Amino acid sequence: MPPDEALADVPTSAHPAQGPGWTPLRRQAHAQDDEALGARIRLAAIMTVLGGIAFGCAAAGWMIGGNSQLISAYFFATQDAPVLLAFGLFSIVAVAAFRNDWAIAAICPIDRRRAWWLAAVILVIACGLIWIGTYLVYRRFGLAMDEFMADFDARIIARGHLLAAVAPEWRDDVPALQPIFRLELPGNAYWSSAYLPMNAAIRAVFVLLGAPTSQGIVLAGVAIIAVFAVARRLWPDRPDAAVVVAALTACSSQFLITAMTPYAMTAHLALNMIWLWLFLGDTRGRHALAAGVGFVACGLHQVIFHPLFVAPFIVSLMRARRWKLTAWYLAAYGAIGLFWVLYWAIELRVVSVPAGPAGPSADFGIGHFIRHVVAIVDLSPGGLFFMALNLLRFIAWQSPLVIPLALIGLMTQGERNRTIVDLAAGIALTLAAMLVLMPFQGHGWGYRYLHGFLGGLALIAAQGWIRITSNRVRAPRAPAFALALSILVSLAVVLPWQAYQVRALVTPYASAVAAIERAEADVVLVDPIDIWYGEDLVRNDPFLRARPKVLSLPRLDEAHLRELCARYDVAIFDRDDARHFGLRGMQYTRDVVARDQALRALARSLRCGHPVLSAGMSPTAVNRESAQPRRRVRRPG
């Protein structure tokens, strides 16, 4: 427990580093009317500059085109550049609104009671959109291997295990059964993903309830409630600011579409906001609960993300000389971090397989963690290019007014609201860490490594909203118009476009995986040559109960291929099948292609491998037959 004398028993609305007597609104209430006018002028100038940048980036995306095989550039050209063009047009209209002080119809003040009702409406709309999109946009599918492995682990945990046992006859083929993001264990007697388990554990609860896709809906709802509660604690006399925070969070396409997926990022956002609400409460019990939330958040999938969110708040406690509370958090997060760094060593040696082949021989201690970190460090100049694309993608997946308002919120800070400063510092710290460690995002809707800060970004923007609407003489007509227009553009223009793009990318892979699962064979070999992210089609049940077993052809050697062809009825999914489903092509290196050609030649010589699709069967027919019982044909011998 935290030390008694470090904590107060009565919660306050202030940052714990600023003491119980500090209220930001007390100073803001005495601001002069010309301060609000100046903030609006600065906002209009910022939007003018950002609008010009958006037009320039949209032109750059048009020049790149949609033919790039590099996923970051492809996403920028096909998904983000058109949105940035729309943001540029929005800036023109919004700047004109501020210049002419345009009004919107029926603007009314928001009191505390109305704020809660509006928050409830926002919550229902957001969760409804996520529920619809889970079926119509994302097809209840995990597109990237990160997503599939979250569901893979969830099914293991739902059965009461942390690792799934692999049958002896398939252990030599494990590298081909799951080529990437697999925890590599000696002997391949057990397997799971290489991610920490808490996101999968949360999902396992929904698996047991028979509704795994509801995980994102529930966590998104929790995130909206938590960020609204944080805003009410920060600005108790400005309930409209809390509504703005909830609305800007909920209308983010990144927030909505990521919640349709199994990614851990929605859980990161929800837990970060719960942690912040507890931290701001500044009582002994709430700080203890915050450490508990931190334990779960650090173990969601990678240990690094939540500590980057928390670190600036701990530094603020140090600056305020709250040494005992600082020591409490440092000790708590030191123990939490050490536990999750050693998690696999503990799990393998103590929990699951204390004397099994994966136990004493497996090295998953601190040395393994350090080697993993060193292996992913990227100090090449290309990291700056990827990070620039990441930031543009992040901006394109938010509401168009969020970034300008956030900049105004930061410009008016200093020591007056440490929470806003700490949130901004956490964003900067995360960007710096990702620039060094993982500048290449790969798949993701928006920039997912900043997803845990979506609520923080909305809170910073709400600080900007307070600054531009603090004029006590006239109603904030132009800001209200700009906010309403921003939400309208987000939900009526940006979200439909991005949902269409996501569905267009997800559907070919979902259909191809369905075809592989329906194949009349014991084994399907996926030949990923000339298929964009072709190995992502290799997916198996964690307990290997389902047929066919799916393996990546390049991960096999000739001996294993001969054995599979001798024992099983084998089908092959290759570039010709991929074209039927509309999967993009991709060029591979010569050595990979040469190895693949040798394996395909061997398969032909053994008369092994028939097409996945039956003669005359279209991808549409595959989906239509998916509800029919499957008949398996086993090869004699």
Side-chain angles (χ1 to χ4, degrees), residues 460-503:
I460 299 171
Q463 181 66 61
W465 169 261
I466 289 173
R467 296 306 301 150
I468 67 173
T469 59
S470 60
N471 189 317
R472 293 168 290 153
V473 176
R474 299 192 312 174
R477 298 182 298 173
F481 174 84
L483 179 65
L485 181 61
S486 177
I487 295 172
L488 179 64
V489 169
S490 297
L491 297 180
V493 179
V494 176
L495 179 62
W497 165 257
Q498 290 169 333
Y500 165 77
Q501 291 288 330
V502 170
R503 178 177 169 82

Side-chain angles (χ1 to χ4, degrees), residues 76 82 119 160 199 218 300 310 349 402 458 486 516 532 548 576 604 609:
F76 174 68
N199 178 54
V218 172
L300 284 174
V310 169
R349 288 177 169 84
V402 166
S486 177
I516 291 170
W532 202 48
D576 294 329
R604 285 192 295 269

Side-chain angles (χ1 to χ4, degrees), residues 423-441:
L423 288 169
I427 292 174
L429 189 60
T430 301
L431 290 175
M434 294 304 103
L435 177 62
V436 174
L437 294 175
M438 291 181 286
F440 179 69
Q441 174 184 226

Side-chain angles (χ1 to χ4, degrees), residues 48-372:
T48 301
V49 173
L50 292 180
I53 295 174
F55 283 126
C57 292
W62 178 80
M63 294 173 63
I64 292 174
N67 296 321
S68 176
Q69 294 185 2
L70 185 64
I71 191 169
S72 298
Y74 174 79
F75 280 163
F76 174 68
T78 59
Q79 297 180 4
D80 304 336
V83 174
L84 292 173
L85 177 62
F87 280 13
L89 297 174
F90 165 83
S91 298
I92 294 174
V93 177
V95 169
F98 280 101
R99 181 176 179 180
N100 298 290
D101 202 20
W102 294 348
I104 59 174
I107 181 172
C108 58
I110 298 176
D111 56 22
R112 291 177 176 83
R113 183 176 181 182
R114 185 175 285 115
W116 283 104
W117 279 107
L118 288 174
V121 171
I122 291 169
L123 176 68
V124 170
I125 292 174
C127 291
L129 288 172
I130 295 167
W131 178 76
I132 294 171
T134 300
Y135 289 85
L136 298 184
V137 176
Y138 225 76
R139 296 185 55 174
R140 293 181 295 174
F141 184 70
L143 175 64
M145 274 292 101
D146 313 69
E147 302 170 64
F148 170 74
M149 293 308 284
D151 197 62
F152 186 91
D153 284 351
R155 284 180 281 168
I156 296 174
I157 295 173
R159 291 281 300 273
H161 305 284
L162 293 175
L163 296 171
V166 180
E169 62 268 25
W170 291 108
R171 290 175 183 174
D172 290 341
D173 297 312
V174 161
L177 287 163
Q178 188 51 57
I180 53 178
F181 299 147
R182 169 179 50 85
L183 186 69
E184 297 185 6
L185 300 175
N188 295 324
Y190 300 86
W191 66 352
S192 74
S193 81
Y195 292 119
L196 293 174
M198 294 310 296
N199 178 54
I202 295 171
R203 190 171 183 84
V205 174
F206 293 91
V207 170
L208 292 172
L209 294 174
T213 55
S214 297
Q215 176 197 15
I217 301 171
V218 172
L219 289 175
V222 170
I224 292 173
I225 294 171
V227 75
F228 179 84
V230 169
R232 292 293 296 122
R233 178 159 285 168
L234 286 175
W235 303 293
D237 297 329
R238 287 295 301 264
D240 61 314
V243 175
V244 168
V245 167
L248 291 178
T249 302
C251 72
S252 161
S253 293
Q254 175 171 333
F255 172 80
L256 294 170
I257 292 180
T258 300
M260 303 172 192
T261 77
Y263 275 125
M265 301 308 170
T266 304
H268 273 294
L269 173 60
L271 293 179
N272 282 354
M273 290 300 102
I274 293 173
W275 183 94
L276 182 57
W277 181 78
L278 292 169
F279 178 81
L280 295 177
D282 200 17
T283 66
R284 182 184 306 109
R286 286 173 179 170
H287 284 299
L289 288 174
V293 171
F295 174 81
V296 177
C298 288
L300 284 174
H301 82 301
Q302 299 282 12
V303 71
I304 187 175
F305 290 102
H306 179 70
L308 293 173
F309 177 88
V310 169
F313 293 93
I314 298 178
V315 172
S316 288
L317 293 177
M318 296 174 64
R319 293 179 60 189
R321 299 181 181 275
R322 296 192 66 177
W323 301 118
K324 292 184 179 180
L325 184 55
T326 300
W328 156 249
Y329 273 109
L330 289 176
Y333 275 94
I336 290 168
L338 183 62
F339 175 84
W340 287 120
V341 167
L342 297 176
Y343 170 75
W344 290 116
I346 297 170
E347 196 275 332
L348 292 173
R349 288 177 169 84
V350 179
V351 180
S352 290
V353 283
S361 62
D363 177 18
F364 287 95
I366 295 177
H368 174 268
F369 176 77
I370 294 174
R371 289 192 297 271
H372 174 70

